[in-house]
Amino acid sequence: MFVGLGCSLVFASQGGIYILSNLSIQIISQVNLPFVSYGGASLLINFIVLGIMLSIFRNTNIMKEVPYKKQFVIKIEREK
C-alpha cells in the first residue's frame, strides 16, 4: 500500500511542480513532465515506477473489496 502511495506521489509531485512552474507560481526547475518530456533516464524510471504500480494493482484484490461494483454491470434482456 505504501509503495503504491509513494509511486503515485512521484508522478503527482513531478506534474504539480511542472504545472506550478508554467503558471509562474513557483521558480522554474528542471523537473520533467512524466511520459511527455524528453529524456531517456527519466522516461525509463517513469516506466519502471508505472510497472511497479501495475504489479501492485494486479496482486491486490481491490475490486473484491468494493461493495458497489455490481451497480455498474449492465444487463441486456432479450424480448421473447
Side-chain angles (χ1 to χ4, degrees), residues 1-49:
M1 178 176 154
F2 292 115
V3 175
L5 179 65
C7 291
S8 61
L9 281 176
V10 167
F11 292 127
S13 64
Q14 286 179 352
I17 290 171
Y18 190 81
I19 290 169
L20 291 176
S21 297
N22 282 329
L23 294 174
S24 300
I25 297 173
Q26 182 182 354
I27 298 172
I28 297 174
S29 62
Q30 295 182 355
V31 175
N32 294 329
L33 186 62
F35 303 112
V36 176
S37 298
Y38 182 77
S42 175
L43 190 63
L44 179 67
I45 296 298
N46 284 332
F47 278 120
I48 289 172
V49 170

